[in-house]
Amino acid sequence: MSVRTASCLCGGVKVEMRGEPLMKNLCHCSSCQKFTGGPFGSLAAYKTEVRSILSTVPASAPYPPASLFLASGLPIRDAYDYATSPRWPVSLATDRLYDRSSTNQRQQQQVAFTESEPSTLKTYEDTSPESGGVLKRSFCGKCGSPVRVQRANLPGTLVIPIGIIDGDKSAFKPQMEFYCKGKADWVGAIEDTKTFETQPTTYPAARE
């Protein structure tokens, strides 16, 4: 299983993703441009069975251990057997954690977030997208780096800005480009990338 890490500019928010993304795309809509501060958003969508866990760790700490990954398995009331180290206090979580005993769960896509202090990760509900939907856009409250996007109508899909992913990003070449009607004329074409004036009729990540 592929494992990649990501972090904000100050290191206050860290992310670890397991599994291949469902979709890699550029979005040229005005809200993505404003959120990322660039001419487009470069994004990777991951499918999760439940929403991500948020735990508190020092900014200097390594990425979260496998025991903090989410899947459909261990109830939160039993999860502390898997996260008892003082370095990994759980500050906020959904109802399930990753159970290492299940092979099937290890094969699922999983995304875990950590923050250096409680409430470092901030979320803004964006109602401006041209699609008419609501996007929950999360960012580091210290350095301002965008770290996560979630569509309100697709709670099981998390979108990670590719710019925060650590290391080489050649594996994240976009497969599609959305809202090309807003694409800057000095941004060139990308070979073998499907383009849309707005967006597909069906959001690709929702089909998986």
Side-chain angles (χ1 to χ4, degrees):
M1 179 185 289
S2 170
V3 179
R4 295 296 299 258
T5 60
S7 57
C8 67
L9 183 62
C10 72
V13 177
K14 293 184 172 73
V15 193
E16 189 167 302
M17 302 88 71
R18 296 195 168 207
E20 297 298 328
L22 293 175
M23 180 180 69
K24 297 163 286 189
N25 71 284
L26 302 185
C27 184
H28 301 275
C29 78
S30 59
S31 57
C32 280
Q33 290 171 349
K34 290 181 181 294
F35 181 61
T36 61
F40 51 78
S42 182
L43 310 165
Y46 288 83
K47 187 76 172 179
T48 54
E49 293 302 315
V50 291
R51 288 179 293 175
S52 64
I53 187 172
L54 177 62
S55 61
T56 304
V57 300
S60 59
Y63 290 88
S67 60
L68 289 181
F69 278 102
L70 298 212
S72 52
L74 192 66
I76 188 66
R77 63 180 178 272
D78 300 327
Y80 295 100
D81 292 338
Y82 288 79
T84 54
S85 168
R87 294 182 62 198
W88 301 101
V90 175
S91 61
L92 174 67
T94 52
D95 61 341
R96 296 187 184 279
L97 288 176
Y98 176 53
D99 182 354
R100 284 191 256 192
S101 65
S102 170
T103 300
N104 289 335
Q105 288 169 10
R106 285 201 298 271
Q107 293 174 348
Q108 293 176 358
Q109 287 184 327
Q110 298 140 14
V111 180
F113 283 76
T114 62
E115 55 181 1
S116 60
E117 298 174 7
S119 301
T120 299
L121 188 66
K122 306 290 186 182
T123 299
Y124 170 71
E125 289 205 357
D126 180 10
T127 58
S128 72
E130 297 173 57
S131 64
V134 176
L135 298 180
K136 296 180 179 180
R137 297 188 182 274
S138 298
F139 57 96
C140 174
K142 289 185 174 182
C143 66
S145 296
V147 296
R148 179 176 66 190
V149 182
Q150 191 167 27
R151 291 171 64 99
N153 63 340
L154 290 175
T157 302
L158 292 174
V159 176
I160 306 297
I162 291 172
I164 71 165
I165 296 174
D166 301 323
D168 181 62
K169 299 171 180 62
S170 58
F172 293 91
K173 178 185 174 183
Q175 301 157 305
M176 289 172 280
E177 294 186 59
F178 299 161
Y179 286 94
C180 289
K181 67 177 185 178
K183 183 175 181 177
D185 58 10
W186 45 265
V187 175
I190 302 174
E191 187 178 358
D192 299 324
T193 297
K194 191 171 183 179
T195 60
F196 299 86
E197 278 295 290
T198 55
Q199 65 177 15
T201 305
T202 302
Y203 189 62
R207 295 200 296 261
E208 298 297 326

